[in-house]
Amino acid sequence: MRAAFAAALVASLTGVVTVTSETSALAAASPSARLLGNPGFESGLASWTADSPNATVVSSPVHSGSNALRIVDTSGTAGVSVRSAPLAVVPGERITASIWIQQAAAGAGGSLFLEFHRPDGSRTAPVFSKAAPASTAWQQLTVTGDAPDDAVDATVLAYSTFADNGTTYWDDAAASALPPPLRKVPNADFEEQRDPAFPTEWATDKTGVALVRDAAAHGGDTAVRITDTSASDPVSVLSKAVPVNVGETVTASAWANPLSGTGATLYLEFVDKNGTELSATTATPGAAGTGWQQVSVSGTAPANTTTLRVRLYSLLAAIGTTTWDDVALRSSADSSYATALGAGQVVLFAGDQRIESYTGVTHKTFAGTKAAPDGIVIHQGTATANPRCGCTVLAGASGEPRYKMWFTGSPDASGHGAGYATSEDGLTWTFVKLITTLNSAQGVVENPAWTSGSSVPRYFTLDVQRNPNQYVSMQSTDGLTWTAVSGAAAIPGIDVANVTYDPIAKVFVAMVKRHLTIPLGPRTTWVSTSTDFKNWSTARPAFAADGLDDDLITDPGKHGMTPWSEIYGMPATRYGDQYLGTPWVFDIAYSPNRDAGDNGPDKGRSHIELATSRDLVNWSRPSRDNLITPGPAGAWDHGFELGGTTFTTVQQANGDWQTRFYYGSFSGEHVCAQTDVNNGDCTTPSGNSNIGMVSWPTDRFASFHGGGTVTTRPITPAGTTLTVNYAPGTTGDNLKVEVLDVNGNPIPGYASTNVTPIAADAKAPGVQVSWGGTTTLPSGAIRLRFTQTGGDLYAFTIS
């Protein structure tokens, strides 16, 4: 019954869907309620915005309560809409919105719309909608959509469209969300621009396959079209393999627009370690001309399964044309939103995983302050000719140098080149040694099992090796002499492997570039984890550039090429309640070997941004501002920036806390030689790298800026004492914090009338919040609502 109901619901929302799978996926994740403001219009149009005076609140008829919304549409050429206040979203989050509608006369129309928006407020594609059938009875409209990669919020619209004419009544809006999935198909939306003609990271023989753009796409700017003109040959587009566990139930979905003919089919395939298909289930869209519709298929991974693949297919004997877009996976391994918040774990306002909504304020990222005089702490030539990051700074033990740094240096005659330096203040460094037992040092971690005098290795790292391209686990007792970890499994890939340790989850985290053989595909980041630095999980997709990155590029393309972005690398560092990601966004202005699939000679600059995650796979990046300001043309850090793997917190002489981040940069562009400049391929030769340092007052990487309100999603804190990190903008600015129940109602004693305003600069470790004589939070699940008249709200902690 549940499977039949689900199929009927999907069909009613998105068009005809035929599922031939024998298994119905029941995801482990359950939806959580999202907090739409004034959902029943009991407070008039508060929290809603009407675009016409023909939208009013009335006392009859109502679905429940005392009020409902009435829309009177007397025009056949203009619509009337009422829009909710925005809900914060993270990419991949599945939002379901609903509302009750009654038509005064059958056929009066009315549609429920769900729209997602970019940071600048512009609407992303697609828009999800459901039109009301003709009826004078109250009926519930429901619509579901996945937040695109560049979306930061969603709004719900009660809409009488251009074609509608009549009076409609609306009541009892609601929204819920499923967290983003843990399984991802690379380039699932076909937006990656590495290959301008064919779908990057999908296997195809190219015959009958093409990319189509703009209005032909379902979402974003690009989709893939299969045109099958032969009744004796199939046409196939096959995804990369995605790791999956035996017994895991997976639902694959894709949006399809069947334009002509028959035979369009969605396949979900489970395969073993040798790439042999073990089982497959299929689904087909409706008939040609039925428009965009979501096709879904489910299956359970049989014994010996290691990965799954998604195939977009035109059957052997069929002829027809279908456009496909926006592939997604949902799995029984997916998790529900976790309300638990560990004691003392800071929540940064750099991402939106913990945010329900915000109004009046904007996301702002603060570029770090560079070390005097120019940011450089290790100059080229003083340690090695070419010191560069990724790099790691760790604290020394008693009797050792206060700080130790590992970085990639100029290779010796054998091709090895990792540098090691020490410092007492983190600013002035003494070069100690060029390590010849490593090819590079892109992330060194201290073994949590090590204690002074113990025989276990003290340090671990992943070394980049070629032929075959792989990352190899290495260990060291002193950080200078390194040997391979016996019996450790290598991680496939080449060039970038940033390693950190998560002391909360107690796992080592490797964020790697997954290049194997030509064609290399785009630069993206994959994640693998280990509890012992010997046995690593199969790497899976974690982070990639999106269309907004492409749109924000300021450098012009070369030789008529349209520039695009890729992710050169991204460390992930545990920081309180979240991971901080520092993506190295590579803006490619020219790719001389693009057609050959060789991205090695790509030209362009890179910059470092900030992202947050709670699962290492799904990342929130509501601000695309630079974490480090590139220097002007000619400066050492104007060209190609690469970030380190550690954030180092120190207490200053004045008692303030400061957090430092080390990075490397070349003054010029990626692999740009003078001959390339002469040919017009790039502007500035690469040169050699330096290593620099930037700093922030602790926890002040990003904020909600200005005057307005921020409401959290539900949290269940282990602690009871709330502290905030807040800075007023001008004299008179202040911050108030209310405590709400999970339904958004102020808890007695914790309302805005009870709270003591915070008007002073509340630097880390923050200022404690109090409500009259009360200084502890109530027990159980709560929400927090921050109201600030101005300034910057950076973080909160519950201890």
Side-chain angles (χ1 to χ4, degrees), residues 436-701:
T436 59
T437 47
L438 289 176
N439 290 313
S440 63
Q442 299 178 12
V444 173
V445 292
E446 192 162 36
N447 183 358
W450 177 85
T451 57
S452 180
S454 66
S455 60
V456 300
R458 182 175 180 181
Y459 299 107
F460 293 121
T461 192
L462 285 177
D463 198 25
V464 178
Q465 298 186 0
R466 298 180 183 270
N467 300 317
N469 293 340
Q470 59 185 6
Y471 308 108
V472 176
S473 296
M474 304 289 287
Q475 63 185 16
S476 174
T477 58
D478 59 5
L480 300 176
T481 301
W482 295 80
T483 59
V485 175
S486 178
I491 302 174
I494 192 64
D495 198 25
V496 176
N498 290 300
V499 186
T500 60
Y501 179 70
D502 176 0
I504 295 176
K506 301 187 186 309
V507 294
F508 299 99
V509 177
M511 304 292 282
V512 302
K513 187 187 291 183
R514 185 72 170 179
H515 284 169
L516 298 175
T517 58
I518 292 176
L520 295 173
R523 298 169 179 86
T524 61
T525 298
W526 294 51
V527 62
S528 178
T529 60
S530 173
T531 57
D532 58 7
F533 222 85
K534 180 176 181 178
N535 299 287
W536 291 91
S537 65
T538 303
R540 50 183 170 148
F543 195 84
D546 58 32
L548 181 55
D549 291 312
D550 298 342
D551 292 346
L552 292 174
I553 296 173
T554 57
D555 290 348
K558 303 292 186 180
H559 303 296
M561 189 170 287
T562 300
W564 75 96
S565 296
E566 295 178 358
I567 303 302
Y568 202 89
M570 186 183 76
T573 305
R574 167 62 77 173
Y575 196 106
D577 183 55
Q578 59 275 299
Y579 295 96
L580 286 186
T582 49
W584 314 342
V585 184
F586 182 16
D587 297 333
I588 301 166
Y590 181 58
S591 180
N593 290 356
R594 188 179 191 180
D595 292 342
D598 180 7
N599 62 23
D602 289 351
K603 318 298 181 188
R605 298 195 297 149
S606 74
H607 60 278
I608 298 173
E609 295 184 7
L610 184 66
T612 66
S613 175
R614 301 192 69 238
D615 61 11
L616 292 168
V617 175
N618 295 289
W619 294 83
S620 177
R621 199 165 36 131
S623 169
R624 302 296 175 99
D625 296 332
N626 290 327
L627 190 64
I628 300 170
T629 302
W636 74 274
D637 56 355
H638 172 73
F640 202 79
E641 295 179 348
L642 307 168
T645 63
T646 47
F647 290 88
T648 304
T649 298
V650 299
Q651 191 169 24
Q652 304 293 94
N654 64 359
D656 289 346
W657 291 91
Q658 180 187 79
T659 298
R660 298 170 175 177
F661 181 72
Y662 294 84
Y663 70 107
S665 184
F666 298 82
S667 61
E669 296 159 66
H670 184 255
V671 294
C672 176
Q674 186 60 50
T675 55
D676 299 319
V677 175
N678 298 340
N679 292 333
D681 298 349
C682 46
T683 302
T684 308
S686 303
N688 285 345
S689 176
N690 298 285
I691 292 177
M693 187 271 282
V694 291
S695 64
W696 299 261
T698 292
D699 299 342
R700 292 190 169 184
F701 308 106

Side-chain angles (χ1 to χ4, degrees), residues 227-294:
T227 302
D228 187 352
T229 59
S230 171
S232 57
D233 290 311
V235 182
S236 172
V237 179
L238 182 65
S239 78
K240 277 192 171 181
V242 177
V244 68
N245 299 319
V246 172
E248 187 175 336
T249 301
V250 179
T251 296
S253 63
W255 286 85
N257 184 8
L259 300 173
S260 66
T262 61
T265 306
L266 172 68
Y267 274 71
L268 173 62
E269 304 173 354
F270 295 103
V271 299
D272 65 14
K273 63 180 180 180
N274 300 314
T276 302
E277 182 182 302
L278 301 175
S279 68
T281 50
T282 64
T284 60
T290 52
W292 281 109
Q293 52 206 271
Q294 193 174 36

